[in-house]
């Protein structure tokens, strides 16, 4: 039985095409009022999962439950689809005016004329396109067309809103403006939403939970903080922006801390481990401190290393610094700090990070005393 608060639940979804398995989802639940972001690289199965959850793609096997009722038997498929709204990457509009496009979903649902006028006017205002209501959809820019598509979806007051990379085809200023409007509308309406994106910044900004996908499977589901700072494996770590991912062997362990040997350098981490165990250390670049001077006894960071800057890459608002410390280490610096420190490639630098800043991923097959506990 579906738990209270869960509006949509998928069990054992399997999608295949031409003998290839595109989707294999043992279980996934969506809570009422949340924004669930499906993130992953191109080809991860995000859109396939979205289309399957909306029943635009029929799975080879598996079940969908809407508000506790099985879709297709306990809940008619036609009734289920009327509870949904979908917005694709490319706006799919009718060859008519903006107003009639926004009103179209309401007309299909048999909503009265006066209520249609009120709902359409509200959404045109929320998405900043009231002035365009009499314009032909053919004359709209990409951003205006997507605003119209979103207004049409929200106008129907859907139980679940599906957004398939809705900002991907827009230029940066338009993307930022539209994302801000969508963020405000979602916060105001509390609409249950599932959005696909390969951009982790979009997921962090809009979602209350994130599901990381690869090769048709969900690797991890959790809050943005859980996924960003406690990834379950190296793939998730790399995808969510952890730039230092290094593997070493536990050289010693004390109560609550342990030492990992990486290319002859010793790194202190917090947690429990067994000597001889092989672990992967994940360090976010924003947690690495750089200094031209040696760190004194006043630093709280247990890990301090002397290294050589091998590459500096401008990322716009900040600089990405790659350092060879006997192992590769990545740090971020603001442009102002970069100017103050006058760093350049080939220069020696001191780098430090706290033991508590390290997320440890264990490799079950390498534990000397058997498999590690499930994560």
């Amino acid at each position: 039985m579906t738990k209270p608060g869960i509006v949509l639940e998928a069990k054992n979804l399997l999608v295949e095409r031409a003998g290839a398995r595109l989707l294999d989802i043992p279980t996934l639940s969506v809570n009422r009022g949340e924004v669930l972001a499906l993130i992953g690289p191109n080809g991860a199965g995000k859109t396939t999962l979205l289309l399957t959850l909306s029943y635009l793609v029929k799975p080879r096997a598996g079940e969908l439950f809407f508000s506790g009722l099985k879709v297709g038997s306990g809940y008619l498929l036609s009734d289920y689809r009327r509870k949904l709204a979908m917005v694709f990457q490319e706006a799919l509009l009718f060859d008519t005016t903006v107003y009639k496009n926004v009103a179209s979903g309401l007309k299909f649902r048999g909503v009265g004329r006066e209520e249609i006028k009120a709902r359409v006017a509200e959404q045109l205002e929320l998405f900043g396109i009231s002035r365009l209501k009499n314009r032909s959809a053919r004359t709209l820019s990409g951003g205006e067309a997507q605003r119209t598509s979103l207004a049409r979806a929200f106008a129907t007051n859907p139980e679940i809103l599906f957004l398939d990379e809705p900002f991907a085809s827009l230029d940066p200023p338009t993307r930022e403006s539209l994302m801000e409007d969508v963020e405000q509308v979602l916060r105001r309406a509390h609409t249950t939403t599932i959005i696909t994106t390969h951009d982790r910044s979009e997921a962090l900004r809009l979602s209350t939970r994130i599901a990381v996908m690869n090769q048709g499977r969900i690797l991890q589901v959790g809050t943005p903080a859980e996924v960003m700072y406690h990834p379950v494996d190296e793939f998730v770590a790399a995808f969510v922006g952890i730039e230092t991912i290094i593997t070493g062997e536990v050289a010693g362990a004390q109560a609550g801390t342990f030492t990992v040997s990486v290319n002859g350098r010793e790194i202190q981490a917090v947690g429990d481990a067994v000597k001889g165990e092989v672990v992967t250390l994940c360090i976010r670049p924003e947690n690495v401190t750089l200094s031209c001077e040696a760190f004194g006894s006043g630093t709280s960071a247990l890990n301090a290393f002397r290294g050589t800057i091998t590459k500096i890459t401008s990322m716009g608002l900040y600089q990405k610094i790659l350092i060879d410390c006997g192992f590769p280490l990545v740090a971020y610096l603001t442009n102002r700090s970069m100017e103050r420190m006058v760093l350049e490639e080939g220069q020696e630098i001191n780098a430090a990070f706290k033991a508590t800043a390290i997320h440890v991923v264990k490799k079950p097959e390498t534990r000397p005393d058997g498999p590690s506990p499930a994560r």
Side-chain angles (χ1 to χ4, degrees), residues 6 44 53 67 75 103 105 161 195 209 213 244 260 262 272 309 317 324 332 362:
I6 294 177
L53 292 175
S67 295
Y75 207 96
L161 175 64
I195 180 172
R209 277 200 308 155
M213 296 189 65
T244 299
V260 180
V262 180
D272 296 319
I309 298 174
L317 297 177
D324 181 2
Y332 289 166
K362 297 188 177 183

Side-chain angles (χ1 to χ4, degrees), residues 32-297:
R32 189 175 301 277
E34 78 170 341
V35 179
L36 175 66
L38 306 177
I39 70 171
N42 291 333
K46 304 184 299 295
T47 296
T48 301
L49 178 54
L50 197 76
L51 295 176
T52 305
L53 292 175
S54 61
Y55 239 97
L56 293 176
V57 166
K58 185 177 180 180
R60 178 186 171 186
E63 299 171 309
L64 275 180
F65 295 87
F66 177 74
S67 295
L69 299 176
K70 184 177 177 180
V71 176
S73 57
Y75 207 96
L76 293 178
L77 183 56
S78 57
D79 291 338
Y80 175 62
R81 284 177 171 161
R82 277 195 288 268
K83 298 290 186 179
L84 315 178
M86 174 80 76
V87 176
F88 295 96
Q89 181 176 333
E90 298 293 337
L92 302 176
L93 301 178
F94 296 112
D95 184 14
T96 183
T97 66
V98 168
Y99 182 95
K100 289 182 178 179
N101 266 285
V102 177
S104 60
L106 297 171
K107 289 185 176 180
F108 293 151
R109 288 164 171 80
V111 177
R113 180 178 298 179
E114 292 305 312
E115 186 175 352
I116 288 177
K117 290 172 66 174
R119 286 208 214 173
V120 171
E122 179 185 27
Q123 295 303 322
L124 292 175
E125 180 67 25
L126 287 173
F127 285 97
I129 51 176
S130 296
R131 71 188 190 285
L132 304 175
K133 66 179 183 179
N134 295 320
R135 283 264 300 272
S136 168
R138 286 186 173 184
T139 68
L140 301 177
S141 67
E144 291 168 343
Q146 196 65 311
R147 286 177 179 277
T148 302
S149 185
L150 284 160
R152 177 175 61 189
F154 276 101
T156 63
N157 292 330
E159 290 274 347
I160 307 176
L161 175 64
F162 295 93
L163 303 177
D164 187 22
E165 305 230 23
F167 314 110
S169 62
L170 305 177
D171 60 79
T174 302
R175 174 179 172 272
E176 173 62 27
S177 175
L178 183 53
M179 196 183 308
E180 183 174 340
D181 287 346
V182 170
E183 185 178 14
Q184 292 178 357
V185 173
L186 285 175
R187 190 180 299 123
R188 174 179 178 271
H190 301 291
T191 303
T192 305
T193 303
I194 306 174
I195 180 172
T196 69
T197 179
H198 59 267
D199 188 329
R200 63 176 176 267
S201 65
E202 288 182 13
L204 289 171
R205 181 168 176 177
L206 296 175
S207 71
T208 51
R209 277 200 308 155
I210 292 175
V212 184
M213 296 189 65
N214 192 38
Q215 298 181 340
R217 295 176 178 269
I218 293 177
L219 305 181
Q220 183 175 3
V221 182
T223 66
E226 288 169 345
V227 174
M228 290 290 288
Y229 294 101
H230 303 284
V232 295
D233 60 25
E234 296 175 40
F235 176 88
V236 176
F239 194 81
V240 298
I242 295 177
E243 305 233 28
T244 299
I245 302 174
I246 49 180
T247 298
E249 183 176 310
V250 176
Q254 304 80 38
T257 64
F258 57 93
T259 303
V260 180
S261 177
V262 180
N263 297 333
R265 311 301 292 271
E266 292 193 341
I267 299 175
Q268 301 290 323
V270 171
D272 296 319
V274 177
K275 186 176 180 180
E277 183 178 357
V278 175
V279 297
T280 297
L281 307 179
C282 303
I283 307 163
R284 297 195 68 84
E286 58 267 29
N287 291 331
V288 178
T289 302
L290 300 182
S291 175
C292 293
E293 306 296 329
F295 291 101
S297 58

